[in-house]
Structure formats: C-alpha cells, structure tokens
Amino acid sequence: MNRIEGRVKVTGLATYAAEYPVENVTYAFPVQSQIAKGRVRHVDAQAALAMPGVLTVLSGEDPPPLASGAGELALFQSREVAYRGQIVAAVVADTYENARAAAAVVRVDYDPDDHDVSLRADHPGLYKPDHVNPAYPTDTEKGDIEAGLARAAAVVDVTYETPVLHNNPMEPHAALASWDDEGRLLVYDTAQGTTLSRNTLAKVFGLPKERVRVVSRHVGGGFGSKGTTRPQAVLAAMAARAVGRPVKLVLTRQQMYDVTGYRTPTIQRLRIGADAEGRLTALEHVAYEQTSTLEEFAEQTATPTRIMYAAPALRTAHRLVRLDVATPSWMRAPGECPGMYALESALDELAYALGMDPVELRIVNEPETEPDRGLPFSSRNLVGCLREGAHRFGWEQRDPAPGVRREGEWLIGTGVAASTYPARRSPSKARAVVQDDGDVLVQVAAADIGTGARTALTRIAAEALGLAPERVHVELGDSDLPEAPVAGGSMGTASWGSAVVRACEELKSDGREGTADTTEEVQGDAAFSRHAFGAQFAEVRVSSVTGEVRVSRLLGVFAAGRIVDAKLARSQFIGGMTMGMGMGLMEETLTDEEFGGFLRRDLAQYHVPACADVLDVEAVWLDERDSELNPMASKGIGEIGIVGTAAAIGNAVYHATGHRVRELPITPGKILMF
Amino acid sequence: MKPFDYTRAASAAQAVREYAPGTMYLGGGTNLVDLMRLGVAEPDRLVDVSRLPLDTIESVRDRVRVGAAVRNTDLAVDPMIRARYPMLARAVLTGASGQVRNVATVAGNLLQRTRCAYFQDVTRPCNKRRPGSGCPAIAGDHTNLAIFGASEACVATHPSDMAVALAALEAEVHVTGPGGDRIIPMPGLHRLPGEEPERDTVLEPGDLITAVELPPPPTGATVYRKVRERASFAFALVSIAAVLDVGEDGVVAGCRIALGGVAHAPWRAERAEQALIGGPATGEAFLRAAEAELEQAGPLPRNAYKVPLTRNLIVSTLEGLAS
Amino acid sequence: MEITLQVNGRPRTVDVDPRMSLLDLLRERLGLIGAKKGCDHGQCGACTVLIDGRRALSCLALGVAVDGSEVTTVEGLADGDELHPLQAAFIEHDAFQCGYCTPGQLCSAAGMLGEPGPSAVTEDLLVDPGLTPEEIRERMSGNLCRCGAYVNIVTAISEVAR
C-alpha cells in the first residue's frame, strides 16, 4: 500500500529533527580535534567569544557536568583525544552563520602523541574480544580444519578486504534540544529509536527517564548510524542547558564522517576445502577489524559463516585492534554484509577451482540443521531462492568461462551470491485504543527511518482488528509512547508488530483499549535458528578500455517469511541492493595515516550510487510460511538486500574479465592494474 | 564563513574598478560558495558578476563568442554549439549535475579549484591553500591526482571538463583587468604548479574573464569522453577531448588531444599529436603515440592506474575517430 | 542586507546576513523546511529548488545573490490540495523511503521536465531526445537517494513525462 506519510513527505511538510519551529532558538557548532591522539592542553575561546552573536563556548576548560564520564558521548569530560575529529569544544550563537564562523577561531592547543590508525592482520595489538556484536561468541570451532583441508580435492585460501564505509543517510545527524522550567529535557533527535535515545540521554545527564523526552517523527535514513545516540544530541542538550535557550545542532556532512559511526574496515581470511563433488570438507573464516580506544565495537563479520553451509570442520574467529580512530558502529547488516561478501566471493573461487557451477555448489552444501549449533531452522529456503533466481536470470545458459563475452569494448559477466540475515525480535510495548469516532489509535515508540514502519504497523493492526487500514492510526517516533526497541537489526516490524498485535487482541476482548508488553512472549521463543535467506544475481559490463564497471542487471530473490506489504518490501530489498552496488563498486573512506581521521569526507569524494548507476534492479520473494517467528510470521527485510550484492557483482566482474579483485571497492584503477 | 561585504557590479569595468586585495568575483557561486563554507576561500568582499551583460552566445564571422556569464546549461544546449562544437557541448554536459550547470558560469567553470581532499580541508596542510605548508597528497591520497606536470609542491588536478574541450578547440579567453584587456589562448590559461601551486592560472589580481572565443571548428572528427567509476555526477578519473583528421590517403593530417584529470591544467598531449601527424592512422601508431606521451608521466603509487587508463583511452578514442 | 524574493508566489522581504545561503534563508527564516540540507556543498541535490523556473541548488546560492528572484520550493509545487502530478506519481510508485531527498528530487524533476536539449547520454546532440529511462537517469543524477529508490523514482517520472 502507499506510504501513510507519503503526502507530507512529497509536499515538504514532514518535520525532521532540525525542522521543528522553536521560539528563541540558538545554534551550536562543534570544534573538532586536529590530532589523532594526545591531550587537549588548552582551549582558548577568547576570540570566539568576541565574535558577533556568540553566547558561549563549551569545552573541557570548564566541563559541563555529565553523569557518565566515558565513551563517545562523554563530551569534554576528559582532555584525552582518542581520534582526529573528536569534538573538543563547541560554540553557541544566535545564528548558524555566527556559530560556525566563531567555531573556526576557537584555538585549541594540544600535546600530541604518536598515533596508530592502520588496521593490519599482523598488528601486535590484535586481541580476542569477549563477544561480538550484539552478543555472539567471538570464536567457534568444530571438527578439524587442517584435516579437512588435507583431504580436499580443491582448496581456496584467500584474503578479502573491505574498506571503511560510511552510512551517509541523506539527513545529517541533528538535534534540537530544550529544557523547560521544571528541568525536563526535550530533544528532537535523529534517532532510530526514541526509547533508547531517551534512556541514553537520561543516563548521560543523570536524569530519571520520565524527565527526558525524545521525538523523532520522521528520520531521513540512518542505516544504523542513528541507532545509537550520537554526540549531537548530548551536545545540543548540554548547550541548551548552558545558554538557557533551545539549541539546534546539525552536523555537517563532513562531521558525520567523524562522529556518527562507520563500518569497520575488515581483513578476512577464508580457507575452504571441498571434495570432488563440491561437498565442503573444511570452512574457516577469520576476520580482523578495528575499534577505538574509547569503546569496544566488535563487528560480527564471520557469524554468517556459522549458519550458511554444511561442513564437518567449521571455524570462525574475530580479532580486534584498538586504534586511534573513532568507534565503528552499525552500518546496514553489520557483520553479515562484509562477512558474506568475503564468504560468497571465496565460494565462487572454490566453484572455479572445482569446475562446478556456483549455484550447484551452494545447493550441494545445504545443511540439514544450523551448522554451528545444530539447531533446526525455523524455515530455510536458500535453495529455493537460488533455483528461482537462476531460472529468472537465465542462469542455465551461462558459460562459466571467464573473460570471453564481449560487446565492443565491453566485457560481460554474471555472478551469483547467497544472502542471509537473522530473523530476530525484541521485547516491545504497545497500546491500542478506540477513539471517539470509532477509529483505533495505535501507539508504539517505533521509528520510521524510511522503512515504512507506520504503514506496515497500520496494516498489521488493521488485520489484527479486522478493520480497514484507513480506520487505524499509528502514532510513533516519541519516547512518551509505549517503549519500543530501535529500528535496527531488521527486527523493528517483528518486535513492534508483535506488541501491536497483542495490544489489538486485548482491545478486541476489552472493547475499548489494549496494552501489551511482549517481554515474556519473546523470552519464551523456542530454540530455533531463525534467518532469512536470499540469492543475488548480477550482470556487469566492464570496459576493457577504462575499467569502468556498470551493473546492467541485479536480481534478488528472497525468502523472508510472510511479506507484510509488497510495495514497501520491494523498495526495501531494492534499496539494500542499490547500497550493495555502492559497496561493490565505489564506496570507500580512506584513513589518513599521516594526520589521523578520515579522508574523502563528503559526497563528491565518497561516492554513493547515483540514479545513472541503477539500471535494471529487481527483487522478488518466495512465499515462505514460518509459524515460529511472531504473530505476523514475518522476517525482517531491511538489511538482507545489501547482503551478498557486492559478492555477486565481484563474481560477475571475474566472470567478465578473468580478474579477481579481492579488495573493495572494485574501481577502474584496480581492474586496469591487472 | 568569515563575514564579507557583498556588492553587485553593473558592468565589467565597474567590477574591475571595485577590485581591491581581498575581493573575489562571484559568478554562479557553485564552487566559490562551497569553498567559502569550507573556509578555503575567505574573501573580505564579493563583487557579484553573475548578472553582467556577458550572457550571450554570438557568432562573429567564423568564430563564436561565449560570454563569461553564460550558464553552462545554456552553452551546452545552444544549437550553434551543438552543431559546430559538439565536443564542447558533450564536455559541459558530462560535468556536475543539471542543477549545477544551470547556475555555473563559463568563467566560473574555468576558474574552479582542484577537488584534492587536502586542499578542501583547512585543518590539513596544502601548498596550494597555504603556501609552504606541505603537500600531504604525495604520501597520502592522490588516487585521483596528477600524473603529468606535477611538482614536489603539488600534485593537484584541474577538475573542469569544459576546459579540456576548450584546450582542444584552442579557444581564446578574453580578460579585462586593472592592467587592461588581453587574450589568453587555451590551454594557456591554466598553469602547472611548479613552485607556486597557489596560482592555478596566469591571471593577475583583479583580472576578470569576459568571454571565451571559439575559433572555427577544427577539421576532422571530434569526441569528448569522460571516465569515472560512478556513471554520472562525478569528476573525471581521466577525460579526453580529441580531434582527428585523416586524409583520403590514410595519413593523419591533423590531431589534437587534450586530457583532463591528469594534470594541474588541461593537458595537451603534444608529443602524441606530433608523433601522429603525417603518419598512418593505425592502431599501432595510436599506441606508439600514447606511449610517447606517457613517457613523461610521473605516476604515484595510488594513481599509477592512470597510465594504462590514459594509454587505453587515447588509443581507443583515436581508433573510434579514425573509423 | 535587505532582499526581496517571490517565494512560491508570495513576496518575501528579509534582512539577511550576506553569508546566509538561500537554503538556510528558506529553512531558518521563512519556515519553509521542504528544501533539505543534505551536504551543503552541491553534492547531493536535496536542497534543489526552482530559481526563476530553473532547478538550482539553494545551498550554493547566497541569499543576497538571488535578490529579486522567483523561488519555487516543494511547498509550492502543488496547486492547493491538488498534488503536482510528480508528487502523486512519487506516492503511487513508492519513489522514496525516508523522504529526505524527496523534495529535491521533485523540484529537480519538475525543472528537468522543462529543460530542452541533449544530456550526456544523448547519442545525437542535434536532436532533443525523448525522456527515456536512460535520459531520466542521467538528468536526475544530481539528486542522490541513499535509500536507493532510484528505480521507482525513474518509473514515477517516466509516467509523468509521457
């Protein structure tokens, strides 16, 4: 169905965080560290304070008190600098222009130390974290990898690398904060979850939760970067307290690269052995990643390898190093996305080593139960996706020989990769109440970051109530609503929807109102391995003259439970695949080894796909029934679309050219240097 | 952004009279406003020349005069330009986006600054922005920077597509300024960095470009091709504007090759041109010419790919023009 | 400096700091939040408006430099309650997700539909091409959409361009 908020979005009336009309508003602009490691010796705000319109300068010289003293949000609580770009001061002024101009003249003196910003697989600081995001075991091992490799008919031992990637939602991270006379804090925030943002701000400021309210009615994309509370929310609130007026803070696009998280670069080594029939004899996946000195974020890069293929010997491991960099964080399918890029590329290499069709190779290794824990799958239709996709894509006619199809200067190739993402849910609350006109109001502190949550929840509630969707009104994006988890981990709809259904069920029996808290229900979920699966097919054209790669076709086939809304689902899948194309071909943030921090911090240098890049992209899905998931029988679909796309494209580039680029992105330069 | 005064000039002469150190001329603003917001450009005063009556495209005998304030879009869609200088129309159309082209002026396009990451970041050294501070691009990110004519002080590239076509067309840049009027033949407007990378062009302080004059179109087939990893809305990795005139006898009578994305200025591949003129128009000759040009290339580790890219592009482009 | 603009058909006189972009003027002074700030450097297209009928980036236009211009923002596209055909098509074809690039996409498309001449992908520069999907993709490439709604954006615009 059409998006409920469609009309306000196309008429420009939808209010995003920085857009609420607030009287007497002031503007804050951050000052960022110009060293990557060391200490702030002194912040000289004199010149800035003398500039027109400047109200105050915040810094560690007179640190505004916070209840929590460590991590990315503990602004100005320490003089230590953990990375270049960290916020070390901020100016508040009457206008944006004045705040920004004054921020440029705040003088910060440092005692710099030597920094280390480079991830290497042989870094002496590598360590084994206690767990990986969100709570997976760091390592797993079963069977004997070396023995499996020794008896294999074909072995691949390959290392893949992925760069720093930035979420780059179109809406910059922003906050508009104000305190009322009773000391209550209101923040319009770019948050993927208002409950979590409220709880975080309450903790940082040492306030009871009831005294903080976070509102995020419309969020201009997040892709994980707005899942955790970001410094702009803390800084805006801190500044508003300091000047006694509302404060608006919108990060610049460049600042977003520094302080809103990013996908860790990865170095991934895969060793895979298979017998002559293609059955895996050993599968090992070791990932090397970075985190900061402020906080630990250990991405779950190798975890998809634990569930994908049957192998008698299976080992996965994650090693982390603390560098003088910003803390990496969630970016669309953290773990699964880079991990499956490497696994599915390596599997393509194995298919060539065996002389076997890559679709068949995956089918041959379909496991009966989850390879890691031996749990039954609640449902698993990877094989169905591969077969359906192969049929639709015309895979049967494919000649596997690389580098032989040519139209003029353009080499043509096709590739396939599998896709997967966990189907989880979290406890949520919801309320449904009959209004005076007989329509039903549904309340849940969910967030619509572009996923269509309002629309999906409307359909879910309407179905549960037996009402027309027009008679259901969903209210979300406000922490004063019933508490709900973030829009993240592809579990928004599953989590919120479960609570909405239960609330609606109670309303039906009560006749007037229903409330729900799914904590017990979710804790009681039976032990299954729950995942969505998919198959991605790509056709590329590679210029033999310039190395330019154009993706002429992308097809994704997914098995993701019951699809709540076909129109929204297709958009989610296609959007994820489009972002995956960017990862495959152009997205890359460089780490500045000399000065620390990042380079290419804008959208002219960090390329995301433009309209002209996206030709024929299509997504379809299988009709999958799975009664073990949630009342909607749905699996999350926000992330699976990006998983596997880059591998399918890379495999197609190999098929087109005979060159295997093992470091993303696959740029013309890398193709030409073969 | 540092505070500044703003005034709008009514004529080119008035604009030049208004000039004083610290003054900058504002055209469409698509690069200058961008640089001011970054703190890279910090004028005390802007003299807005975007609405000067320099916005016409006129045929003057066998030449075409393009006013400096003509918007990029209007240049590219002009019927005369499309018919007589398709290479120029094509180059302009590959630059930036429709929104930018609607506003950006011809003079502003020529005078846009490099997109080197260090130049655009005032917190890092850059000899072009802060002479003497160093060039971190040489040891750092120079993936999209120069392979020809760079110096130890600067490896920046000029980002314009239009300027590359104008270099091949041997257009004349008309300038007025405190020192009077003069004409600068392309590709002579832009200079190599040498010891003074802060100077992009040969213009003197207060100089104002008033027009670009196009000589009669060269004889032969022409083409503009731009290479980029994103299909649109991206600066060139390398681009080429080429003219090839092959006689009935199969001998190259005329050849012009201008390259973008490889140097601090649009780069005329003179060695390649000279190698070709008077010789056969064969793939082998094109390859030898390209290699002759690339002998003087000085690639760095991250932009070494531009050597085979330039070679392939020259050969493939000339082959296309010859057939 | 005092400037006067016609914004969505209404004269608006504002005293502005010369540093203020048209985008910030619209958003912070006139309460018109439709034009979005995505990058503030002309690299994303979210701030696209029509200036004197042509699509342009309001982040790169100084307010003082557009004094006297007519500006149309996404708020001015609809005719009262009647959506502009592009707006209706965007809703129908789900041509947006988060909606943040959408006002820029719409203004850009509205301007693009009226732009004559070839584009970078037009084979024959002498012939004004029809708005094929390929032409639309090229002409709309100045408007980035991180949600990846391009496929649907092209479908929606194609429907209106027909």
Side-chain angles (χ1 to χ4, degrees):
Chain A
M1 89 188 229
N2 291 341
R3 280 171 207 267
I4 285 169
E5 71 284 5
R7 193 176 174 99
V8 291
K9 282 185 173 173
V10 301
T11 51
L13 301 176
T15 38
Y16 296 80
E19 300 177 338
Y20 287 82
V22 174
E23 293 281 311
N24 213 17
V25 71
T26 65
Y27 296 80
F29 197 89
V31 177
Q32 298 176 270
S33 166
Q34 294 186 22
I35 63 166
K37 186 183 185 186
R39 277 156 305 283
V40 173
R41 191 165 63 227
H42 182 61
V43 176
D44 180 353
Q46 265 194 316
L49 287 166
M51 298 271 283
V54 173
L55 300 169
T56 191
V57 176
L58 306 170
S59 76
E61 291 302 317
D62 182 14
L66 289 181
S68 109
E72 293 274 357
L73 298 182
L75 299 175
F76 318 133
Q77 304 302 298
S78 159
R79 286 182 172 271
E80 297 295 316
V81 172
Y83 59 93
R84 193 180 210 275
Q86 192 176 5
I87 296 172
V88 293
V91 173
V92 189
D94 59 344
T95 68
Y96 177 72
E97 289 76 19
N98 283 337
R100 188 164 184 177
V105 303
V106 172
R107 201 191 137 114
V108 185
D109 291 320
Y110 304 94
D111 290 319
D113 292 334
D114 290 342
H115 60 253
D116 178 2
V117 295
S118 304
L119 174 66
R120 306 192 316 265
D122 61 352
H123 196 290
L126 284 166
Y127 71 99
K128 180 184 166 188
D130 289 341
H131 65 275
V132 294
N133 178 61
Y136 289 110
T138 304
D139 294 359
T140 60
E141 186 162 10
K142 68 162 195 180
D144 185 338
I145 293 286
E146 302 306 331
L149 292 172
R151 71 178 175 87
V155 171
V156 295
D157 178 352
V158 286
T159 299
Y160 281 83
E161 295 185 20
T162 61
V164 173
L165 296 171
H166 274 88
N167 310 54
N168 271 313
M170 293 313 299
E171 181 202 21
H173 295 63
L176 176 50
S178 57
W179 298 79
D180 70 12
D181 295 340
E182 277 86 52
R184 284 181 300 226
L185 173 63
L186 167 63
V187 182
Y188 296 98
D189 188 18
T190 49
Q192 288 179 226
T194 50
T195 303
L196 179 62
S197 181
R198 177 202 64 185
N199 293 351
T200 304
L201 289 171
K203 195 169 154 210
V204 168
F205 285 95
L207 295 167
K209 286 186 217 171
E210 311 77 62
R211 300 185 76 78
V212 181
R213 181 178 172 204
V214 173
V215 176
S216 311
R217 291 206 179 87
H218 298 283
V219 180
F223 313 109
S225 70
K226 296 169 181 172
T228 51
T229 301
R230 290 288 154 192
Q232 90 282 345
V234 174
L235 184 49
M238 185 188 259
R241 194 170 57 183
V243 299
R245 288 168 65 179
V247 169
K248 185 186 290 196
L249 198 171
V250 183
L251 294 180
T252 65
R253 178 61 56 179
Q254 289 83 353
Q255 289 164 347
M256 288 168 67
Y257 284 79
D258 306 322
V259 299
T260 69
Y262 61 95
R263 196 193 293 286
T264 177
T266 69
I267 302 168
Q268 302 178 55
R269 184 175 179 195
L270 280 128
R271 294 197 297 162
I272 315 178
D275 65 21
E277 281 74 50
R279 288 189 196 87
L280 300 190
T281 56
L283 173 54
E284 181 188 58
H285 189 169
V286 183
Y288 303 92
E289 311 155 1
Q290 71 189 36
T291 189
S292 73
T293 60
L294 281 178
E295 294 178 20
E296 180 179 274
F297 179 81
E299 183 148 331
Q300 67 272 41
T301 306
T303 56
T305 299
R306 297 173 185 170
I307 60 109
M308 282 304 294
Y309 301 111
L314 175 61
R315 175 174 178 254
T316 63
H318 299 83
R319 295 296 177 265
L320 207 60
V321 58
R322 292 183 185 278
L323 299 174
D324 303 312
V325 297
T327 314
S329 186
W330 304 330
M331 176 167 168
R332 205 171 199 167
E336 281 77 14
C337 177
M340 286 291 280
Y341 160 68
L343 173 64
E344 293 299 299
S345 301
L347 221 59
D348 198 63
E349 298 205 52
L350 181 67
Y352 275 98
L354 288 161
M356 191 171 177
D357 179 78
V359 169
E360 290 308 313
L361 174 62
R362 288 168 172 89
I363 290 171
V364 163
N365 287 292
E366 175 72 3
E368 295 273 319
T369 56
E370 188 200 271
D372 180 34
R373 295 174 296 172
L375 288 174
F377 287 101
S378 65
S379 60
R380 175 176 167 124
N381 284 295
L382 172 60
V383 171
C385 292
L386 287 162
R387 291 210 193 284
E388 176 70 16
H391 174 65
R392 285 174 177 260
F393 201 71
W395 192 261
E396 295 86 345
Q397 286 86 51
R398 181 180 189 259
D399 171 2
V404 296
R405 286 148 303 276
R406 182 184 271 270
E407 279 177 22
E409 71 179 63
W410 295 90
L411 301 165
I412 299 164
T414 52
V416 65
S419 182
T420 188
Y421 198 81
R424 294 182 282 241
R425 63 171 174 162
S426 286
S428 178
K429 296 177 185 174
R431 175 170 177 262
V433 59
V434 180
Q435 295 174 305
D436 294 344
D437 58 4
D439 286 5
V440 173
L441 174 67
V442 174
Q443 296 178 312
V444 53
D448 194 335
I449 60 171
T451 52
R454 257 185 207 85
T455 312
L457 292 175
T458 299
R459 283 195 73 155
I460 288 166
E463 193 171 305
L465 294 164
L467 282 177
E470 295 75 36
R471 300 203 44 207
V472 175
H473 309 282
V474 171
E475 197 182 343
L476 50 72
D478 187 333
S479 66
D480 278 359
L481 298 170
E483 293 181 344
V486 294
S490 291
M491 56 181 160
T493 303
S495 308
W496 311 321
S498 296
V500 165
V501 168
R502 300 303 175 222
C504 289
E505 285 167 355
E506 194 180 289
L507 180 150
K508 279 206 292 189
S509 62
D510 178 84
R512 214 193 70 78
E513 185 177 347
T515 58
D517 178 346
T518 60
T519 305
E520 271 180 41
E521 175 180 333
V522 171
Q523 280 165 355
D525 280 345
F528 280 97
S529 183
R530 295 180 168 82
H531 300 268
F533 291 89
Q536 304 242 20
F537 293 80
E539 179 187 84
V540 302
R541 299 164 65 84
V542 184
S543 167
S544 57
V545 173
T546 65
E548 288 166 296
V549 182
R550 302 289 179 246
V551 179
S552 44
R553 283 198 292 156
L554 264 186
L555 170 68
V557 182
F558 300 96
R562 190 173 76 92
I563 296 300
V564 173
D565 184 282
K567 188 178 265 191
L568 300 181
R570 178 173 171 272
S571 293
Q572 282 278 290
F573 289 133
I574 289 176
M577 293 163 70
T578 301
M579 198 180 273
M581 177 196 297
M583 176 188 182
L585 299 182
M586 59 189 85
E587 295 186 31
E588 178 176 27
T589 307
L590 289 188
T591 298
D592 186 339
E593 300 200 357
E594 183 171 4
F595 301 106
F598 293 127
L599 293 166
R600 304 190 183 169
R601 295 156 59 245
D602 65 36
L603 292 171
Q605 298 179 87
Y606 184 103
H607 283 168
V608 303
C611 198
D613 291 291
V614 180
L615 307 175
D616 178 357
V617 180
E618 194 47 272
V620 297
W621 47 88
L622 306 182
D623 181 24
E624 185 175 74
R625 306 297 168 95
D626 187 333
S627 57
E628 296 296 337
L629 299 166
N630 54 54
M632 295 77 62
S634 66
K635 295 178 179 175
I637 57 173
E639 289 162 276
I640 192 169
I642 196 177
V643 179
T645 318
I649 290 171
N651 295 341
V653 168
Y654 176 77
H655 187 229
T657 64
H659 298 319
R660 183 73 66 178
V661 178
R662 297 193 183 89
E663 292 172 26
L664 290 184
I666 304 170
T667 55
K670 289 177 191 160
I671 288 172
L672 286 169
M673 291 309 275
F674 268 99
Chain B
M1 210 183 275
K2 211 180 75 175
F4 58 88
D5 292 330
Y6 169 90
T7 185
R8 190 178 288 165
S11 69
Q14 192 213 334
V16 171
R17 277 199 306 277
E18 297 271 359
Y19 178 82
T23 300
M24 292 185 81
Y25 298 128
L26 175 69
T30 52
N31 189 208
L32 181 54
V33 173
D34 161 40
L35 292 175
M36 288 167 66
R37 196 163 287 136
L38 292 170
V40 173
E42 294 194 298
D44 303 321
R45 186 153 189 257
L46 287 183
V47 174
D48 188 342
V49 295
S50 65
R51 299 194 202 183
L52 294 185
L54 301 172
D55 58 347
T56 56
I57 301 172
E58 293 167 303
S59 176
V60 186
R61 291 184 302 279
D62 57 351
R63 302 166 72 86
V64 174
R65 190 183 165 94
V66 181
V70 168
R71 310 291 169 158
N72 285 194
T73 296
D74 298 326
L75 176 64
V77 306
D78 183 85
M80 192 160 54
I81 299 295
R82 285 155 69 181
R84 295 178 62 191
Y85 306 96
M87 171 210 282
L88 176 58
R90 184 76 71 186
V92 173
L93 289 171
T94 64
S97 65
Q99 292 97 310
V100 173
R101 292 193 298 270
N102 276 347
V103 174
T105 63
V106 164
N109 187 321
L110 286 171
L111 297 180
Q112 62 181 306
R113 313 291 313 268
T114 185
R115 265 38 176 218
C116 174
Y118 301 95
F119 174 74
Q120 296 186 89
D121 181 350
V122 296
T123 71
R124 288 176 164 91
C126 167
N127 286 325
K128 181 180 280 298
R129 183 169 31 75
R130 210 163 64 226
S133 60
C135 176
I138 292 170
D141 182 23
H142 48 255
T143 313
N144 200 18
L145 300 181
I147 59 168
F148 289 123
S151 70
E152 286 182 10
C154 182
V155 292
T157 44
H158 194 264
S160 170
D161 291 291
M162 185 190 75
V164 178
L166 293 180
L169 292 170
E170 297 179 355
E172 292 173 345
V173 179
H174 291 231
V175 176
T176 186
D181 296 352
R182 60 195 171 118
I183 292 174
I184 303 167
M186 287 291 282
L189 175 68
H190 301 93
R191 55 186 296 285
L192 295 179
E195 300 287 300
E196 290 182 287
E198 66 275 19
R199 291 184 62 207
D200 290 358
T201 67
V202 300
L203 296 181
E204 298 295 333
D207 276 352
L208 177 70
I209 296 175
T210 54
V212 170
E213 198 165 294
L214 304 171
T219 308
T222 70
V223 73
Y224 186 80
R225 182 172 178 182
K226 177 176 185 176
V227 178
R228 40 190 168 176
E229 99 286 3
R230 182 158 78 181
S232 185
F233 200 26
F235 293 98
L237 300 176
V238 176
S239 69
I240 183 168
V243 183
L244 186 68
D245 180 23
V246 182
E248 304 239 326
D249 52 0
V251 170
V252 175
C255 177
R256 297 184 200 170
I257 301 167
L259 300 168
V262 294
H264 196 259
W267 184 262
R268 270 295 285 266
E270 288 171 4
R271 289 192 192 184
E273 293 173 8
Q274 279 154 18
L276 285 167
I277 292 172
T282 62
E284 216 171 280
F286 299 149
L287 179 59
R288 276 200 308 275
E291 284 175 347
E293 190 64 37
L294 285 159
E295 273 173 23
Q296 58 192 315
L300 295 162
R302 281 177 168 270
N303 70 4
Y305 73 93
K306 287 194 178 185
V307 171
L309 176 52
T310 303
R311 180 194 65 217
N312 293 355
L313 197 59
I314 290 175
V315 173
S316 163
T317 301
L318 294 177
E319 282 178 341
L321 291 175
S323 62
Chain C
M1 294 177 70
E2 192 174 273
I3 64 165
T4 300
L5 303 170
Q6 289 282 332
V7 182
N8 298 328
R10 271 182 64 198
R12 307 292 292 260
T13 298
V14 204
D15 186 31
V16 296
D17 185 326
R19 294 173 293 178
M20 186 174 243
S21 65
L22 172 61
L23 175 61
D24 285 335
L25 192 162
L26 292 168
R27 289 171 62 82
E28 305 296 330
R29 298 292 299 281
L30 301 182
L32 291 168
I33 57 169
K36 302 300 185 197
K37 186 183 285 191
C39 73
D40 221 13
H41 287 276
Q43 302 163 351
C44 79
C47 68
T48 304
V49 298
L50 302 174
I51 302 179
D52 295 328
R54 287 162 66 128
R55 54 179 173 158
L57 300 171
S58 59
C59 75
L60 294 182
L62 294 175
V64 289
V66 295
D67 184 15
S69 301
E70 278 183 31
V71 177
T72 304
T73 69
V74 73
E75 289 96 333
L77 286 185
D79 180 7
D81 282 345
E82 182 89 8
L83 292 180
H84 187 286
L86 284 166
Q87 292 173 314
F90 266 54
I91 293 175
E92 191 55 38
H93 293 285
D94 207 34
F96 54 89
Q97 294 179 33
C98 80
Y100 200 78
C101 74
T102 311
Q105 300 278 359
L106 287 163
C107 287
S108 185
M112 187 268 295
L113 291 177
E115 284 173 3
S119 80
V121 298
T122 309
E123 285 284 324
D124 182 352
L125 289 179
L126 297 180
V127 180
D128 282 12
L131 285 177
T132 61
E134 186 191 16
E135 287 285 347
I136 292 172
R137 284 194 290 263
E138 165 60 24
R139 289 161 196 258
M140 290 300 294
S141 279
N143 292 87
L144 302 179
C145 169
R146 188 57 161 161
C147 297
Y150 296 124
V151 172
N152 295 346
I153 289 170
V154 173
T155 304
I157 296 174
S158 295
E159 186 184 272
V160 177
R162 265 203 299 273

